[in-house]
Amino acid sequence: MASFFFAITISSSALMASLLLLLALFAVNLRITGAQIGVCYGMMGNNLPSAQEVIELCKANNIVRMRLYDPNQAALEALRNSGIELMLDVPNSDLQSLANPNNAGQWVQTNVLNFYPAVNIKYIAVGNEVKPVGDSTSWMAQYVLPAIQNVYQAIRAKGLQDQIKVSTAIDMTLIGTSYPPSKGSFRSDVRSYLDPIIGYLVYANSPLFANVYPYFSYVGDPNDISLPYALFTAPNVVVWDGSRGYQNLFDAVLDSVHAALDNTGIGYVKVVVSESGWPSDGGFAATYDNARVYLGNLIQHVKGGTPMRPNVAIETYLFGMFDENQKSPEVEKHFGVFYPNKQKKYPFNFGFSAARHWEDDIVTIKNASAPLRSDA
């Protein structure tokens, strides 16, 4: 009889161990595949928490990805061993310097290699929204590709080109045709700037970073774009593009970027949404409720895909971490998902709580298994 109970004990223990392993693997997989949302950490405010407080706030709210607009040393130190994946920007002001290979190598050593892998740097964004024609940033455009290549070569010299991807972030003003999405194309006057960059991205297997704001599309054309279409709340398909139906503006804009890349004929390039958000005050349609609805729906929506790229999760960075009172115009001050006092502005989580619940369930099962073994 004792041997019979001993056999049941071993069998039960083995079954429980197998179950725990499966749950652990599922939780890890859920955390990896579900963690599509990051947050952009801007610092243009005179009332913001310390970098260490910000990283602790991210961890407390299950934010596992971050964009940092410059290599702020306090923030990089605070990110050590946090597990947070980082998109690190080369500021536009550094582009001309990093067009020199020696300067780029030093920048990478100081801001990347001195912190990696304790800081989980995943991307380097070389320049943000540089516009090659008719803009105050246009003079910088000539330096973007050389800076990208030099940073890439410095990363490659350390054998990290598969771990740390180097790219640049564009805005939607570079899109010439966006409707219908399948006809998306870049403006003819920016192709000489973009095509060589796209060629590099294909070579390096790096994504293009795109700042996608349905808010600005809507406020620019509220007569032809409905608010529900911009907020993910349209009850039915709004735009048909052949066999593809678009029920929200985010997908339509993003697919116009996909099409613009494809229509260059250079090669396949993935798109990472490096910014998206909705302001809660300061301008037309900038209300708390609109921002809450847009952001909450965006977090859920990016777990899937777009009509042109179905069933492919969309890595997306919310803009921004805090309301920043030193930005202008007024509407730019109200994009934060947290107030400067670290209080959440909106009730939603950031898409990762399910993984934590499964981890909690594993502990529960472990505790519940003890009586089963002792009974034997």
Side-chain angles (χ1 to χ4, degrees):
M1 184 64 70
S3 61
F4 172 74
F5 281 115
F6 179 73
I8 290 178
T9 302
I10 296 297
S11 177
S12 299
S13 298
L15 178 62
M16 189 57 60
S18 299
L19 180 59
L20 289 171
L21 178 60
L22 286 171
L23 283 172
L25 290 172
F26 179 80
V28 170
N29 182 65
L30 181 62
R31 190 167 181 83
I32 291 170
T33 58
Q36 301 309 320
I37 289 290
V39 178
C40 300
Y41 176 19
M43 301 182 183
M44 293 184 66
N46 60 12
N47 57 350
L48 301 181
S50 70
Q52 186 62 54
E53 290 177 281
V54 173
I55 303 311
E56 292 303 320
L57 183 64
C58 287
K59 291 193 290 186
N61 285 276
N62 296 311
I63 296 170
V64 298
R65 287 178 174 159
M66 173 182 285
R67 182 179 182 186
L68 186 62
Y69 287 98
D70 69 88
N72 179 281
Q73 298 296 293
L76 288 171
E77 287 291 347
L79 281 162
R80 286 187 186 274
N81 303 311
S82 67
I84 294 172
E85 288 184 348
L86 181 65
M87 177 186 290
L88 177 63
D89 276 37
V90 172
N92 291 351
S93 57
D94 287 350
L95 292 172
Q96 183 174 7
S97 173
L98 270 59
N100 178 295
N102 292 331
N103 293 343
Q106 184 57 54
W107 190 96
V108 168
Q109 180 62 55
T110 300
N111 302 305
V112 178
L113 301 178
N114 284 357
F115 294 94
Y116 185 86
V119 177
N120 188 10
I121 300 171
K122 182 179 183 181
Y123 298 125
I124 300 176
V126 181
N128 183 49
E129 297 187 348
V130 174
K131 302 174 180 65
V133 179
D135 187 75
S136 61
T137 62
S138 297
W139 69 272
M140 304 174 185
Q142 62 187 307
Y143 303 115
V144 173
L145 181 58
I148 289 173
Q149 292 171 323
N150 291 337
V151 170
Y152 171 79
Q153 290 299 334
I155 295 293
R156 187 170 181 265
K158 298 298 182 180
L160 295 173
Q161 70 274 14
D162 293 330
Q163 288 75 40
I164 303 174
K165 295 297 182 178
V166 184
S167 185
T168 191
I170 67 168
D171 70 3
M172 295 303 98
T173 65
L174 303 191
I175 299 292
T177 300
S178 60
Y179 182 86
S182 63
K183 301 297 184 184
S185 63
F186 294 113
R187 286 166 30 201
S188 59
D189 60 347
V190 303
R191 288 289 298 273
S192 62
Y193 166 71
L194 279 177
D195 282 14
I197 292 174
I198 295 167
Y200 152 78
L201 296 176
V202 172
Y203 161 77
N205 192 28
S206 292
L208 178 67
F209 305 141
N211 298 342
V212 177
Y213 284 95
Y215 170 75
F216 290 115
S217 298
Y218 170 68
V219 300
D221 191 9
N223 291 327
D224 293 325
I225 299 173
S226 74
L227 184 59
Y229 186 52
L231 294 176
F232 298 95
T233 57
N236 301 300
V237 169
V238 175
V239 171
W240 283 101
D241 183 4
S243 62
R244 300 186 185 109
Y246 288 86
Q247 205 165 335
N248 65 82
L249 183 57
F250 177 86
D251 280 352
V253 173
L254 184 52
D255 270 353
S256 74
V257 180
H258 290 141
L261 287 164
D262 292 347
N263 290 336
T264 65
I266 298 171
Y268 174 81
V269 175
K270 176 185 173 182
V271 178
V272 169
V273 177
S274 43
E275 290 181 12
S276 192
W278 195 289
S280 59
D281 202 354
F284 175 70
T287 69
Y288 175 89
D289 283 339
N290 285 348
R292 174 183 55 80
V293 170
Y294 176 80
L295 291 166
N297 286 333
L298 177 67
I299 288 169
Q300 297 303 315
H301 181 75
V302 299
K303 297 175 183 178
T306 69
M308 195 174 290
R309 300 281 191 273
N311 305 314
V312 178
I314 308 161
E315 187 174 343
T316 301
Y317 292 76
L318 304 183
F319 186 86
M321 188 76 185
F322 298 105
D323 288 345
E324 298 174 65
N325 64 6
Q326 293 178 321
K327 298 197 75 171
S328 62
E330 181 66 23
V331 71
E332 295 278 354
K333 299 177 181 179
H334 302 282
F335 275 86
V337 295
F338 291 91
Y339 294 109
N341 65 2
K342 301 188 290 184
Q343 294 299 307
K344 287 176 70 171
K345 189 188 288 188
Y346 307 108
F348 51 73
N349 62 52
F350 295 91
F352 318 123
S353 59
R356 173 166 287 185
H357 292 165
W358 276 103
E359 291 161 3
D360 292 343
D361 289 346
I362 291 172
V363 174
T364 301
I365 292 170
K366 281 182 178 178
N367 293 335
S369 68
L372 177 64
R373 288 194 296 270
S374 64
D375 286 346

